Amino acid sequence: MRKHKEQFEKNISRLVKSTGQSQIPSEQFTNNLIDDALNELQQDQPGRQKRSTFMKRFVKTTMSIAACFVVAAVLLSVLMSPVRKVSRGHESYSAKNGELVAEAKDLAKRINPPRPPAPYTTAKQASPKPASPAKINQDQILLYTKMQPAQESIIVGASSDQSLQMAHGGTTPPNGEPVDAMFFKNYGVNPFVDTEDDHLSTFAIDVDSGSYTLCRSYLQQGNLPSRDAVRVEEFVNYFDYDYPAPRQDAFAVYFEAMPWQFGAARKNTHLMRIGLKALEIPDENRKPAILTFVIDVSGSMSREDRLGLVKQSLALLVDKLRADDKIGIAVYGSQGREILSHTGLNNKQRIMRAIRSLESEGSTNAEEGIRIGYDMAEEAFVPGYINRVILCSDGVANVGATGPEQILKIIKDKADKGITLSALGFGMGNYNDVLMEQLGNKGNGYYAYIDTLDQAKRLFSNLTGALQVVARDVKVQVDFNPDIVRSYRLIGYENRDVADVDFRNDIVDGGEIGAGHSTTALYELKLWPQKEGNIATTYVRYKDADTFAVSEFSARFETSQIAAGTSAVSDSFALASVVTQFAEILRQSYWAKGANLADTLAKARQLTAAFENNADVTELVELMTRTNDLLAKTADSEDALEPASIEYRQP
Amino acid sequence: MQEQPSGSSSLDIRAGGPEIWRQILARTIPQLYGFFVRRGVHAALAEELTQKTVFDAVCRPEQFDPAKGTPEQWMFAIAHNNLALEMRNRQSHAKPDTELLKYLEVLDTQPLPDEVLERKETAELVRAALSSLEDKEQQVLRGKYLEDKSALQLGQAMKLSEKAVHSLLYRARIALREKLIHLAPQFREEQKI
């Protein structure tokens, strides 16, 4: 609602301003802008000095390296061409190296005398930036984190001690950003909403877990992830909460609530969990699958042997498929091409030969590769089967006539026709999380990030769920009772917001859910004291995966169902609470202000007894411990920010 | 030909204090705004681009090199680049439908495309709708968005409390939208004639 109000105000402001005919801005605008600029100038002085010192050091180092290259190149050219001259003089290179270099430098100076600095130029006059096909939607705020020393920032983008090689072949950076950029998007943090202003909370479900695995990869490499990489709902949805599956219905819904103390500023709040579990389908009842792999074999995929991991993951998937399934493969480097037409699993050797033959090459013509993949999928399309394109990439698209908007449009159109897409992300450094997530979202499939073979195994362990969708366009609307609930905030799902009025508008996109998959949404609630009754009614609306028939059901949750304390709730709810706190702290949410990771870690450790054989929970505790250590290390470093100056994400 | 600022100064802003910046900004901001408007950019976007240019400059004063030109020339070069970037971004998107009526129903969810705001007809329609509002509503909308006055300043001028200005603004915005929806079809017919 608040977002709508802001959008409305902005539009009205722009409309009224459009009536202005003056070529001079208002005096007030000029004065306000001068004041703001001077404030910025004063506030930013220390930070800039710090950056400027770093930049100086960086420039100095770069210049030294460049100088070494120049010297080496000059030496080489001198050794190659005037070799005969020197030979004629019977002089040894070793004795004359220094002089030769000096001579070469003098020569270079004569040929290229130092130029006066060029006057200020515009983009048009300077080398034009190529129209970038990989440009992300202009409304997005793209952040990138360059490889840099850990102490430069409290949040470090990627490994500081790893000198990752530059991408081969496809070295044209996406959007003109450095090749090692990691692209994430800041979706903001949901605010507390007064039920008097808006008692409806509507969102599209999300079963992705890419954000968790990507952040795990950061932490395992000894770095804190960018806070924009953290999507709370994807952290929460990574874990299995053991919701019982429905027997007949498409969904079962589960509620739980407990008193919750998180962050310094709030007391007497509650955490409410809404869990949705989709119908399970036995593997033998799964529909036959026509899968089209579109594999990125560009230069960037040779980094950290991303392509090797793709091959291993695909081999794993092929092993789990049935004889009535089919696989086709398209690849894209500098150009897209088909390398295997759709082949039945009874010819597994042919499929495996095609997978083994993949080699990285050239730049990244994602658009062409995706088009070819979809052409193949359309040709092999069988109504009633699972028709799915599986894209394996690091999300970097730097060649092609059109931008990602066009790619996303193609994917959306095809998804509407029944060819869905799953985006599997590979790679750390030069990785585009934003595009991969959008591809999975628009393609009515899912987005997963694969950093290890174990992750691939985990993903394909429920292959039926990964492939067969049981409900499409699933939307959830929670109608809070203003007599009981004073205010609420949805934790996460910031990029899955649906306007309240669009809940029953079936043209508006929701989320897809695979067989046996579950999804969890958490709300922090402030309740009116000593009131009893219905807290909320939750409506779930979805389309049948095959017939597209729309169904809706609702469930109520009462105050009497709130647990008396944290010890009275299920272990799985306690786990969800810990995961939420971890993600909120990692993304520096405004609502995590004053929260202490050590406290959350202690709660997580208590849970290990209840989840003794659960590798995911063991790993979570390990990751939280690492994070705690990294935060402590950062706090000890010279450039650590004062707690008061940590910039928490404002709702 | 590349537009150049008038009244260029030879001040070195790299180590300059706030006073030097104030002088330069007071002179350059109106010139920058005029530069954007003359390039056909609508007023709201001209303000946004002016703000962006100024902030690009104050956040990176170390990039200014007096050997290359004056601070004003430097800021104009940034402005040219920002405008080029804006146009490039625009070209990379499909051209939107510029029929205003289509967007009026979704003013609270969809951003108005720049192309719509740059149509003469849009400005004329908004002017007509504004003039048909009650005096107080007109005054508060013009004061807020054309003169950039705060609610406090508007309240002082109109002898109202700040809270009353906020509610008046709220009502005026809704009234303007209703007027626009009401007038748009009629206006389109008149344009055809």
Side-chain angles (χ1 to χ4, degrees):
Chain A
M1 280 299 275
R2 185 168 156 171
K3 213 190 279 177
H4 293 176
K5 202 175 151 197
E6 280 169 14
Q7 186 65 62
F8 179 57
E9 276 183 36
K10 193 173 175 192
N11 281 334
I12 292 287
S13 157
R14 283 158 68 88
L15 279 167
V16 176
K17 278 182 197 295
S18 74
T19 63
Q21 288 167 314
S22 170
Q23 291 193 1
I24 306 168
S26 71
E27 201 182 323
Q28 197 68 40
F29 169 79
T30 309
N31 292 339
N32 290 347
L33 182 52
I34 292 174
D35 290 343
D36 291 346
L38 294 180
N39 275 342
E40 176 70 25
L41 194 70
Q42 278 162 357
Q43 274 176 17
D44 206 33
Q45 214 86 36
R48 198 166 46 239
Q49 274 166 7
K50 202 183 281 179
R51 274 203 303 275
S52 141
T53 320
F54 166 69
M55 280 308 290
K56 273 183 196 159
R57 253 186 279 149
F58 177 73
V59 169
K60 207 173 160 186
T61 317
T62 317
M63 292 293 282
S64 327
I65 295 168
C68 289
F69 273 111
V70 169
V71 170
V74 169
L75 252 181
L76 200 66
S77 64
V78 169
L79 291 177
M80 294 299 279
S81 63
V83 122
R84 286 174 219 102
K85 210 169 160 185
V86 175
S87 302
R88 276 200 301 274
H90 303 286
E91 290 168 17
S92 84
Y93 294 123
S94 56
K96 289 284 176 186
N97 259 358
E99 287 169 35
L100 287 173
V101 172
E103 274 175 26
K105 277 184 177 170
D106 283 342
L107 185 68
K109 263 189 192 167
R110 282 200 299 280
I111 296 168
N112 299 314
R115 292 177 186 173
Y120 288 113
T121 54
T122 65
K124 208 173 171 185
Q125 292 162 316
S127 57
K129 188 174 168 183
S132 171
K135 198 194 147 300
I136 309 298
N137 188 332
Q138 63 177 345
D139 299 333
Q140 293 172 356
I141 304 161
L142 280 179
L143 299 175
Y144 67 86
T145 49
K146 267 171 60 176
M147 300 295 166
Q148 52 189 339
Q151 67 269 23
E152 271 307 311
S153 161
I154 194 162
I155 298 294
V156 180
S159 176
S160 51
D161 50 8
Q162 256 184 326
S163 56
L164 291 176
Q165 62 190 52
M166 297 279 278
H168 299 293
T171 49
T172 310
N175 317 325
E177 300 297 356
V179 279
D180 277 330
M182 297 283 285
F183 290 86
F184 300 111
K185 185 177 169 184
N186 172 4
Y187 291 101
V189 169
N190 283 332
F192 262 100
V193 179
D194 275 352
T195 47
E196 279 180 11
D197 292 335
D198 178 11
H199 57 93
L200 298 173
S201 168
T202 313
F203 61 95
I205 62 151
D206 184 2
V207 293
D208 297 347
S209 58
S211 169
Y212 179 81
T213 40
L214 184 56
C215 293
R216 176 180 68 188
S217 200
Y218 266 108
L219 290 165
Q220 285 174 341
Q221 288 180 25
N223 293 288
L224 288 168
S226 157
R227 57 188 188 164
D228 293 321
V230 182
R231 289 186 288 275
V232 182
E233 69 279 15
E234 295 191 21
F235 269 58
V236 172
N237 283 329
Y238 178 83
F239 295 88
D240 181 8
Y241 301 109
D242 224 6
Y243 301 127
R247 291 192 179 172
Q248 285 182 330
D249 300 330
F251 286 109
V253 62
Y254 300 94
F255 293 96
E256 221 170 334
M258 65 175 172
W260 202 49
Q261 176 66 51
F262 180 59
R266 306 181 306 288
K267 280 180 184 164
N268 303 324
T269 58
H270 287 78
L271 184 71
M272 181 175 89
R273 173 174 75 163
I274 302 173
L276 278 181
K277 173 82 175 178
L279 182 71
E280 282 177 349
I281 295 175
D283 285 346
E284 58 274 19
N285 292 351
R286 169 173 68 75
K287 296 174 188 171
I290 312 283
L291 304 181
T292 312
F293 294 126
V294 177
I295 303 167
D296 179 354
V297 292
S298 64
S300 58
M301 290 297 285
S302 68
R303 297 178 56 166
E304 315 131 24
D305 199 24
R306 292 172 191 182
L307 193 55
L309 184 56
V310 171
K311 288 183 190 178
Q312 287 175 309
S313 307
L314 294 188
L316 204 69
L317 177 60
V318 168
D319 261 350
K320 298 203 126 209
L321 289 169
R322 294 190 314 233
D324 55 348
D325 298 323
K326 279 184 179 177
I327 283 181
I329 303 177
V331 296
Y332 61 90
S334 304
Q335 287 178 329
R337 64 181 189 280
E338 176 182 320
I339 64 159
L340 178 74
S341 58
H342 280 91
T343 304
L345 261 286
N346 45 11
N347 201 346
K348 204 185 255 185
Q349 281 186 331
R350 192 171 162 222
I351 296 170
M352 288 310 297
R353 259 203 311 277
I355 291 174
R356 278 196 296 268
S357 73
L358 300 174
E359 274 182 24
S360 61
E361 60 176 50
S363 50
T364 320
N365 196 339
E367 181 207 344
E368 195 177 34
I370 291 171
R371 274 183 201 280
I372 291 172
Y374 271 111
D375 286 348
M376 289 170 64
E378 263 187 327
E379 223 167 87
F381 184 84
V382 180
Y385 280 24
I386 298 164
N387 294 278
R388 173 80 54 99
V389 172
I390 298 180
L391 175 72
C392 305
S393 171
D394 52 17
V396 178
N398 58 355
V399 176
T402 49
E405 293 88 355
Q406 276 303 314
I407 295 178
L408 291 169
K409 191 174 175 306
I410 298 171
I411 287 169
K412 175 89 183 69
D413 291 346
K414 303 287 181 187
D416 292 342
K417 289 177 188 165
I419 303 174
T420 53
L421 177 132
S422 293
L424 305 184
F426 294 81
M428 172 64 73
N430 203 6
Y431 179 78
N432 193 334
D433 174 71
V434 185
L435 183 57
M436 293 302 280
E437 205 255 345
Q438 284 185 344
L439 290 170
N441 191 9
K442 294 276 179 207
N444 286 359
Y446 57 86
Y447 159 51
Y449 178 80
I450 297 182
D451 53 346
T452 59
L453 195 57
D454 282 342
Q455 179 56 29
K457 279 181 192 160
R458 188 180 189 278
L459 181 69
F460 300 136
S461 62
N462 174 9
L463 189 64
T464 304
L467 294 178
Q468 186 160 338
V469 167
V470 292
R472 300 179 193 277
D473 287 334
V474 186
K475 286 178 267 184
V476 175
Q477 184 164 72
V478 185
D479 185 354
F480 289 102
N481 179 358
D483 291 338
I484 305 288
V485 182
R486 199 171 68 182
S487 59
Y488 62 88
R489 80 171 173 107
L490 174 60
I491 309 177
Y493 290 90
E494 279 85 5
N495 65 344
R496 300 281 169 152
D497 185 38
V498 173
D500 295 338
V501 289
D502 286 335
F503 177 65
R504 291 188 178 86
N505 179 355
D506 297 317
I507 300 165
V508 174
D509 226 5
E512 277 61 41
I513 192 163
H517 278 182
S518 61
T519 185
T520 300
L522 291 144
Y523 281 93
E524 188 174 354
L525 307 177
K526 289 180 187 168
L527 304 180
W528 292 110
Q530 294 167 339
K531 293 260 187 149
E532 286 186 359
N534 178 33
I535 294 179
T537 307
T538 299
Y539 298 89
V540 180
R541 193 174 173 89
Y542 62 95
K543 290 177 191 158
D544 182 274
D546 299 321
T547 63
F548 288 79
V550 178
S551 305
E552 187 179 316
F553 69 90
S554 63
R556 285 160 63 96
F557 186 61
E558 307 280 333
T559 44
S560 56
Q561 293 170 272
I562 299 177
T566 45
S567 53
V569 295
S570 68
D571 292 330
S572 73
F573 186 25
L575 173 64
S577 153
V578 162
V579 176
T580 305
Q581 293 188 3
F582 177 40
E584 285 277 83
I585 292 169
L586 260 186
R587 72 167 175 166
Q588 290 175 286
S589 159
Y590 175 82
W591 306 111
K593 216 169 175 176
N596 188 345
L597 184 61
D599 295 343
T600 308
L601 178 58
K603 286 179 201 156
R605 284 194 175 125
Q606 284 168 12
L607 279 174
T608 47
F611 291 93
E612 207 176 354
N613 296 317
N614 189 321
D616 290 344
V617 176
T618 313
E619 188 182 62
L620 172 73
V621 172
E622 191 196 308
L623 290 180
M624 288 172 72
T625 312
R626 270 173 188 264
T627 310
N628 206 27
D629 293 347
L630 282 167
L631 287 173
K633 210 187 278 178
T634 317
D636 290 342
S637 77
E638 281 176 17
D639 292 335
L641 294 170
E642 289 297 316
S645 65
I646 294 175
E647 193 191 326
Y648 286 96
R649 241 177 228 297
Q650 293 292 326
Chain B
M1 208 174 82
Q2 189 180 330
E3 189 160 344
Q4 289 296 332
S6 56
S8 296
S9 75
S10 56
L11 295 168
D12 187 348
I13 49 170
R14 284 174 303 182
E19 212 28 61
I20 290 181
W21 273 99
R22 186 180 288 281
Q23 283 173 32
I24 293 170
L25 292 176
R27 200 167 45 237
T28 318
I29 288 171
Q31 292 179 358
L32 288 170
Y33 179 86
F35 159 75
F36 289 122
V37 171
R38 282 191 295 281
R39 292 294 184 284
V41 160
H42 64 90
L45 185 58
E47 283 189 358
E48 285 162 24
L49 289 171
T50 307
Q51 278 173 350
K52 182 171 186 328
T53 304
V54 167
F55 274 80
D56 283 350
V58 295
C59 291
R60 291 192 292 270
E62 68 280 358
Q63 288 187 0
F64 168 66
D65 181 353
K68 292 185 185 177
T70 63
E72 288 85 348
Q73 282 170 330
W74 172 58
M75 286 172 74
F76 260 74
I78 299 174
H80 272 277
N81 291 343
N82 282 338
L83 185 62
L85 191 65
E86 174 65 33
M87 293 303 143
R88 194 185 295 132
N89 283 344
R90 216 183 266 193
Q91 278 163 11
S92 68
H93 291 78
K95 286 211 162 152
D97 185 348
T98 53
E99 179 60 61
L100 177 63
L101 187 57
K102 198 181 140 193
Y103 298 99
L104 291 175
E105 298 286 352
V106 287
L107 273 187
D108 53 351
T109 53
Q110 305 283 327
L112 269 168
D114 292 317
E115 288 83 349
V116 174
L117 291 162
E118 276 157 16
R119 288 185 73 205
K120 269 187 192 163
E121 291 82 355
T122 303
E124 282 167 26
L125 173 63
V126 179
R127 263 182 226 122
L130 260 177
S131 315
S132 63
L133 294 180
E134 282 178 24
D135 285 351
K136 272 195 173 180
E137 289 172 342
Q138 282 188 45
Q139 199 181 343
V140 80
L141 286 175
R142 288 184 207 276
K144 171 82 179 162
Y145 299 121
L146 292 177
E147 294 157 28
D148 294 283
K149 286 186 177 156
S150 66
L152 184 69
Q153 288 167 320
L154 287 169
Q156 282 163 352
M158 298 170 76
K159 299 199 171 108
L160 291 172
S161 70
E162 210 176 324
K163 205 172 172 189
V165 172
H166 280 297
S167 14
L168 183 57
L169 263 170
Y170 176 77
R171 290 197 304 274
R173 281 191 287 257
I174 290 171
L176 178 65
R177 177 173 57 181
E178 277 164 13
K179 277 280 180 237
L180 285 168
I181 292 173
H182 178 67
L183 288 178
Q186 195 182 325
F187 192 81
R188 193 172 47 186
E189 288 309 309
E190 282 170 17
Q191 293 289 312
K192 279 183 193 166
I193 299 162

